[in-house]
Amino acid sequence: MRGIEYEVQLFQGDHSNEYLLSEMKDGKVEGRCQLFNCGILTLAWMMKDGKRIGGVTEYENGIAL
């Protein structure tokens, strides 16, 4: 049994303080995606078959709104 693989995507310019953490399966984004700003969770959503499923959860200071 393999563990979950993750990808970290860094940004430049105005968004250089943000990063996206995504669960991966077979080299593709599959599962939870979380966007962090200055290390604090700001958005989260789920991906399946390369498409977002369900809604996006917005966070303020790491707490779901």
Side-chain angles (χ1 to χ4, degrees), residues 34-51:
Q34 298 174 308
L35 181 69
F36 293 83
N37 187 340
C38 297
I40 298 173
L41 181 60
T42 57
L43 297 173
W45 61 92
M46 295 294 290
M47 298 284 289
K48 184 172 175 114
D49 297 325
K51 297 180 182 178

Side-chain angles (χ1 to χ4, degrees), residues 20 32-35 41-46 52 55-59:
L20 178 63
R32 183 173 309 278
C33 295
Q34 298 174 308
L35 181 69
L41 181 60
T42 57
L43 297 173
W45 61 92
M46 295 294 290
R52 192 190 69 190
V56 174
T57 303
E58 186 175 353
Y59 295 82

Side-chain angles (χ1 to χ4, degrees), residues 20-38:
L20 178 63
L21 179 65
S22 303
E23 291 182 356
M24 304 291 290
K25 182 178 180 182
D26 298 325
K28 297 178 184 176
V29 177
E30 183 84 12
R32 183 173 309 278
C33 295
Q34 298 174 308
L35 181 69
F36 293 83
N37 187 340
C38 297

